[in-house]
């Protein structure tokens, strides 16, 4: 499942960056074209049920995307990845080829402490805690 929120307050028609959604049985037929308007939230299956593409944008386009996978899908994806990857000899260099993959699976969270910057709320805690997740 993909959860998507657009953050473009002053987006206008002609700015591009639309999400085009196609029919699963005929990917040449558009079902819908969605403008990336501010505060618009989309939820859709990002697998074979909802073929889609993001159209080129004519200005900066902001959004937040979250992919949700259940454990069964992750296990299946991991098994597929292992089956498709040939075993290289230990002395071989890693491949530099580009690959196409499924939505990223986040790495385990790493908590860090950051000192507050000047101008912070004086009543706030002396520590700011956040999670940083790197995605391959």
């Amino acid at each position: 499942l993909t959860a998507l929120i657009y953050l473009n307050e002053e987006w206008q028609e002609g700015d591009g960056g639309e999400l085009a959604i196609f029919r699963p049985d005929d990917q040449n037929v558009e079902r819908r074209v969605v403008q990336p308007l501010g505060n618009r939230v989309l939820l859709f299956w990002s697998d074979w049920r909802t073929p889609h593409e993001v159209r080129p944008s004519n200005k900066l386009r902001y959004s937040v995307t979250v992919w949700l996978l259940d454990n069964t899908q992750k296990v299946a994806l991991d098994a597929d990845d292992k089956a498709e990857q040939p075993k290289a000899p230990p002395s071989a260099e890693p491949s530099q080829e580009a690959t196409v993959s499924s939505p990223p699976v986040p790495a385990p969270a790493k908590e860090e402490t950051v000192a507050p910057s000047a101008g912070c709320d004086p009543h706030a805690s002396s520590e700011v805690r956040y999670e940083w997740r790197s995605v391959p």
Side-chain angles (χ1 to χ4, degrees):
L1 180 69
T2 295
L4 175 64
I5 183 168
Y6 291 113
L7 308 172
N8 309 297
E9 290 298 325
E10 297 183 21
W11 203 261
Q12 297 178 12
E13 190 167 336
D15 288 340
E18 302 90 353
L19 177 73
I21 300 173
F22 302 95
R23 287 181 41 177
D25 58 336
D26 186 352
Q27 295 183 18
N28 294 316
V29 178
E30 285 182 353
R31 290 173 62 189
R32 178 107 27 183
V33 176
V34 181
Q35 298 284 327
L37 303 176
N39 292 324
R40 176 171 279 170
V41 176
L42 300 174
L43 297 173
F44 60 95
W45 299 112
S46 50
D47 58 9
W48 62 268
R49 293 173 278 193
T50 314
H52 60 282
E53 71 178 9
V54 176
R55 302 252 168 95
S57 178
N58 299 319
K59 68 179 192 179
L60 290 178
R61 175 185 165 280
Y62 298 98
S63 64
V64 174
T65 304
V66 177
W67 291 283
L68 302 172
L69 297 173
D70 67 17
N71 197 32
T72 348
Q73 288 179 316
K74 182 182 180 316
V75 170
L77 287 173
D78 289 345
D80 288 346
D81 286 346
K82 288 178 184 175
E84 291 177 10
Q85 294 177 358
K87 297 289 183 189
S91 62
E93 291 294 320
S95 172
Q96 297 298 319
E97 295 179 15
T99 59
V100 176
S101 64
S102 299
V105 177
K110 174 184 166 189
E111 280 195 10
E112 296 184 20
T113 302
V114 178
S117 60
C120 285
D121 181 355
H123 304 291
S125 167
S126 63
E127 293 183 345
V128 177
R129 297 187 79 75
Y130 65 96
E131 288 186 355
W132 177 260
R133 296 179 186 260
S134 63
V135 180

